[in-house]
Amino acid sequence: MELADEIYMKEIQNGRLEAMAVLFDRYQVRIYNYFFKLSFDASQSEDLTQQLFIRALQYRNSFRPEQGRVKTWLYRMAVNLHIDHKKLQAKHRMTVMPLSDVHGNVAEVTSGNFTEADYSTLDKALMQLEPDQRQLIILSKYQGLKYEEVATIMGITVANVKVKMHRAILALRTLYFSKPNGTYEL
Amino acid sequence: MNCEEAMQAFLNARETGAALNKAEAQHIEKCEVCRREIAEIVHLFAEISNDEVLPPPPSIRQVFETALANEIAISQKTIAPRRGIFRSRFTTMAAACVLLIVGIGIGHLVTRTRDNRPYPEAFNGNKPDSIASTLYQSSSDRIETINRSVENNTPDDSLLVTLTRILANDKNSNVRMAALYALAKYADSPYVHECLIASLARETEPVIQVLLINLLMEKKGDGAIDAIQNFIKNEGIRKEVKMVAQTKLRSL
């Protein structure tokens, strides 16, 4: 049975920093994919994931078990890191990678019953959502976090998460099903 | 029961695993619009759960392991027991206040004379470093090259100059961090020490600011404390970073 993240975090706060490697192993894939779904930019996701774990190491003493779990602490840091990055990006007017570069040629059948074109359409619909809605969909549906966890990360109530999620899902559905595959313009 | 309420109930039930009540179930069964909407949402959720999980690039682990090793080394050197008059919290705070006031005074004097002091070569001008950004396309490549360049532990002057240029100018904070970790091995060199001090004044990334403070405090070379005291006075610095700097100064 795996030990809880909080036990490792306590060890880290007590000076046994090697335990951070366990948390890194547990979360690096999820966090990298979280950043990737927000931006569809591999280089940016790589940078932000590196920064997140170094920040977690530096600010390890800011974790308070009474304020939530390690998972929500890490994701909250990731959300803030992404917000900071977007502000910087807006300041320097950096360009966003077109989704065609991510997906390449479409039409090949992939895992499950979905084709590459389906995933391309889904990603384009995701990118057209309002930033807050995209954040919610990624945290809840892609990252599999519970509404309570999303509420802690976003700093809003669970009731508010439910309402916002409902709107976000309907918006995503409308974007996904209203246009044929591959015709979205970003 | 209207369609919006039914959809909200359906999404809640899906999230929590709870069953729909009779009215909700009856509405969905009879309403064609709701049934189609639910079918589309179920399709979307299935597609999301089948979406490919990308493996992170290996450079993430490399940078993390370097940072972890450095942090462990720093924490082992800085853990020291409290003793004597500093056992009392009040005395510690009073000492910190006195130190801060004296520091601000010294810092003020130093700032007035600082403009005349020559900066190291790496900090002249604001042009991005061409060596690091043109030879290697991605930040991962640059990080890997930096890590490899210092493996033999016998760097020549040109390597140190390149590393300090990267620290001063690279647009990617992770590359700058890798350069800082590489330079940390040679922080006893007066040239590197001077570059680290200059870096603290211009660095904008909080994590690197904290690393620079840790390193400068660890080495305690000429001008390090003044530089940190000046740094604290900068209004644009995050309060968390200021707290780290103040804690380090208090620990002197």
Side-chain angles (χ1 to χ4, degrees):
Chain A
M1 199 177 101
E2 277 194 343
L3 287 175
D5 296 339
E6 289 68 30
I7 293 174
Y8 286 105
M9 203 61 209
K10 198 174 175 185
E11 288 286 294
I12 294 162
Q13 289 183 326
N14 286 336
R16 207 171 72 79
L17 299 186
E18 299 85 351
M20 187 56 106
V22 178
L23 297 182
F24 175 82
D25 285 339
R26 284 185 184 179
Y27 288 99
Q28 67 145 334
V29 177
R30 289 192 223 181
I31 295 288
Y32 176 76
N33 280 273
Y34 161 75
F35 284 128
F36 187 80
K37 279 292 167 197
L38 280 171
S39 63
F40 292 97
D41 181 336
S43 173
Q44 181 187 307
S45 309
E46 179 186 337
D47 291 346
L48 291 178
T49 309
Q50 284 171 347
Q51 281 184 39
L52 176 86
F53 285 104
I54 289 165
R55 205 172 265 199
L57 200 56
Q58 293 288 326
Y59 299 118
R60 57 190 179 270
N61 290 324
S62 72
F63 171 72
R64 300 271 178 277
E66 64 275 12
Q67 288 173 0
R69 298 172 59 196
V70 170
K71 182 160 71 169
T72 52
W73 177 70
L74 280 174
Y75 274 105
R76 190 165 199 161
M77 234 186 296
V79 168
N80 290 335
L81 202 57
H82 182 256
I83 291 169
D84 288 350
H85 182 81
K86 292 302 284 182
K87 281 182 193 164
L88 205 67
Q89 215 175 30
K91 204 172 162 186
H92 296 290
R93 294 182 184 178
M94 288 160 78
T95 51
V96 177
M97 181 190 286
L99 280 176
S100 54
D101 288 1
V102 178
H103 290 281
N105 293 328
V106 295
E108 272 182 54
V109 175
T110 58
S111 62
N113 294 318
F114 304 102
T115 64
E116 187 65 27
D118 289 333
Y119 289 114
S120 176
T121 307
L122 179 58
D123 288 345
K124 284 169 184 169
L126 193 63
M127 285 300 277
Q128 286 191 313
L129 286 176
E130 292 293 317
D132 276 3
Q133 293 185 330
R134 195 186 323 148
Q135 186 79 258
L136 281 169
I137 294 279
I138 292 170
L139 287 172
S140 171
K141 299 302 163 198
Y142 283 89
Q143 298 287 313
L145 300 177
K146 294 185 172 69
Y147 283 177
E148 288 79 7
E149 292 173 325
V150 175
T152 309
I153 292 162
M154 305 287 284
I156 54 179
T157 63
V158 176
N160 207 342
V161 170
K162 281 183 186 173
V163 173
K164 284 172 181 260
M165 270 302 294
H166 184 184
R167 289 185 195 142
I169 290 166
L170 293 185
L172 184 67
R173 182 191 69 88
T174 306
L175 287 166
Y176 182 91
F177 288 101
S178 62
K179 295 182 182 178
N181 287 347
T183 60
Y184 289 93
E185 292 297 328
L186 283 177
Chain B
M1 171 72 49
N2 60 30
C3 291
E4 196 180 336
E5 288 167 344
M7 282 310 298
Q8 183 73 62
F10 164 77
L11 291 172
N12 285 343
R14 202 177 159 92
E15 173 67 20
T16 59
L20 292 170
N21 69 31
K22 197 175 174 185
E24 292 158 354
Q26 274 179 351
H27 176 93
I28 290 169
E29 199 181 323
K30 288 176 185 168
C31 176
E32 196 179 325
V33 175
C34 281
R35 281 211 311 277
R36 201 189 69 226
E37 206 163 284
I38 285 171
E40 289 176 352
I41 288 170
V42 168
H43 173 97
L44 266 182
F45 287 174
E47 189 171 336
I48 288 172
S49 65
N50 272 291
D51 198 15
E52 184 188 12
V53 175
L54 299 172
S59 65
I60 294 178
R61 182 177 292 278
Q62 277 177 3
V63 170
F64 170 74
E65 285 177 352
T66 312
L68 182 60
N70 193 277
E71 198 64 26
I72 289 169
I74 289 171
S75 72
Q76 283 169 351
K77 283 179 186 171
T78 53
I79 294 171
R82 282 178 154 201
R83 56 183 188 276
I85 58 168
F86 294 107
R87 198 171 285 162
S88 147
R89 181 177 283 252
F90 176 78
T91 324
T92 309
M93 283 173 67
C97 288
V98 171
L99 201 64
L100 192 65
I101 291 163
V102 172
I104 289 168
I106 295 170
H108 184 67
L109 288 172
V110 170
T111 314
R112 286 168 61 189
T113 56
R114 189 176 172 130
D115 290 342
N116 298 327
R117 202 168 58 167
Y119 269 75
E121 186 187 344
F123 291 86
N124 288 335
N126 291 317
K127 289 181 182 173
D129 179 70
S130 57
I131 301 167
S133 51
T134 56
L135 277 182
Y136 307 106
Q137 292 294 317
S138 73
S139 56
S140 315
D141 286 342
R142 298 208 294 281
I143 289 167
E144 203 181 327
T145 307
I146 289 167
N147 291 340
R148 264 193 280 118
S149 69
V150 291
E151 270 172 6
N152 62 10
N153 283 323
T154 53
D156 54 20
D157 288 347
S158 65
L159 176 60
L160 289 183
V161 169
T162 304
L163 287 172
T164 51
R165 279 183 179 162
I166 293 169
L167 176 63
N169 297 312
D170 200 289
K171 63 181 180 183
N172 184 296
S173 60
N174 294 314
V175 177
R176 295 202 301 278
M177 203 174 315
L180 176 58
Y181 281 127
L183 283 168
K185 294 179 184 174
Y186 314 105
D188 291 327
S189 143
Y191 171 78
V192 172
H193 179 74
E194 190 73 8
C195 289
L196 295 179
I197 287 178
S199 249
L200 183 64
R202 59 187 289 156
E203 180 58 54
T204 53
E205 172 58 42
V207 174
I208 303 181
Q209 289 170 339
V210 171
L211 290 172
L212 279 164
I213 291 165
N214 286 342
L215 194 57
L216 289 171
M217 287 302 291
E218 187 192 336
K219 298 295 175 188
K220 296 187 182 70
D222 289 345
I225 293 169
D226 292 345
I228 294 170
Q229 283 168 340
N230 281 335
F231 172 79
I232 291 171
K233 284 191 279 185
N234 186 338
E235 287 180 2
I237 305 299
R238 280 196 183 199
K239 68 174 185 190
E240 295 89 347
V241 179
K242 280 190 182 181
M243 279 171 65
V244 171
Q246 283 161 345
T247 309
K248 292 282 176 188
L249 287 174
R250 277 200 293 271
S251 70
L252 282 174

